[in-house]
């Protein structure tokens, strides 16, 4: 059974983006970027919302042609370009870069997708993650806590009606001070 995995960077005070959508505070150095590549490369696909997909599609398809790109950035460009993607959007009819557009989150369709062979599925986008969480579809959270306090911005976790039990399965401190907290759902 494939897992649905949320992988997000957060500030220490719980924001995934600062005011105005700012993510310039992310401290992604070569070590952390290589870790992202190592985790994502064996996955079976990306599940993302329209905004996340458009942000990724604006840079990653040709990032490996940028002479200033690091080796991990060039590697990730190839990973992202080749990985199958499902883009959840009510407004798009088509998305490029090996992407299929789906207009609604259908719980049974998602469960069928996780029953297919292949690697785990990386879920991206806070709004989409909130929808998947509301339907109890997230199996694992990989939260990368960056050593910064933003004070305000957008929080990853919206108010929930019921608690969700989690079990810590991995923690790691990177050289730049970012801490990975990897939790699996207790079912």
């Amino acid at each position: 059974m494939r897992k649905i995995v949320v992988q997000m960077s957060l500030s220490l005070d719980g924001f995934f983006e600062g005011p105005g959508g700012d993510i310039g505070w992310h401290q992604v150095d070569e070590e952390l970027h290589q870790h992202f590549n190592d985790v994502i490369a064996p996955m079976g696909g990306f599940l993302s919302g329209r905004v996340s997909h458009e942000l990724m599609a604006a840079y990653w398809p040709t990032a490996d042609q940028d002479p200033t790109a690091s080796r991990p950035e060039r590697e990730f460009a190839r990973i992202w370009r080749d990985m199958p993607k499902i883009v959840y959007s009510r407004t798009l009819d088509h998305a490029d870069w090996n992407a299929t557009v789906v207009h609604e989150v259908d719980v049974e369709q998602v469960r069928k997708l996780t029953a297919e062979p292949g690697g785990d599925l990386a879920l991206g986008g806070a709004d989409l993650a909130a929808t998947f969480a509301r339907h109890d579809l997230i199996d694992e959270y990989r939260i990368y806590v960056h050593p910064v306090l933003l004070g305000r911005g957008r929080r990853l976790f919206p108010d929930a009606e019921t608690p969700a039990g989690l079990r810590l399965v991995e923690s790691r401190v990177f050289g730049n001070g970012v801490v990975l907290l990897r939790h699996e759902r207790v079912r």
Side-chain angles (χ1 to χ4, degrees), residues 7-10 25-40 70 72-73 76 143-147 172-180:
Q7 182 169 313
M8 294 283 284
S9 289
L10 292 184
W25 51 270
H26 286 193
Q27 298 177 20
V28 181
D29 59 8
E30 284 202 29
E31 176 195 21
L32 184 56
H33 208 295
Q34 186 59 56
H35 165 80
F36 290 158
N37 292 353
D38 295 343
V39 168
I40 291 171
S70 67
E73 289 171 323
F76 183 77
I143 304 301
Y144 296 84
V145 181
H146 292 248
R172 176 176 172 184
V173 179
F174 294 88
N176 61 5
V178 171
V179 176
L180 162 63

Side-chain angles (χ1 to χ4, degrees), residues 111-129:
R111 289 194 175 120
K112 287 178 185 174
L113 186 62
T114 60
E116 293 176 3
D120 293 339
L121 302 167
L123 178 62
D127 294 334
L128 186 61

Side-chain angles (χ1 to χ4, degrees), residues 49-128:
R50 177 192 56 81
V51 172
S52 293
H53 178 76
E54 288 177 344
L55 286 170
M56 298 295 280
Y59 179 71
W60 289 109
T62 58
D64 55 345
Q65 298 168 18
D66 180 348
T68 65
S70 67
R71 188 190 54 71
E73 289 171 323
R74 290 190 306 273
E75 180 182 342
F76 183 77
R78 291 186 293 276
I79 293 167
W80 187 87
R81 210 174 28 239
D82 295 343
M83 185 81 63
K85 299 163 201 62
I86 295 176
V87 179
Y88 289 88
S89 171
R90 292 184 183 102
T91 58
L92 289 179
D93 289 320
H94 172 78
D96 291 323
W97 305 107
N98 200 17
T100 301
V101 175
V102 174
H103 294 287
E104 296 289 333
V105 174
D106 178 318
V107 173
E108 287 309 310
Q109 181 186 41
V110 172
R111 289 194 175 120
K112 287 178 185 174
L113 186 62
T114 60
E116 293 176 3
D120 293 339
L121 302 167
L123 178 62
D127 294 334
L128 186 61

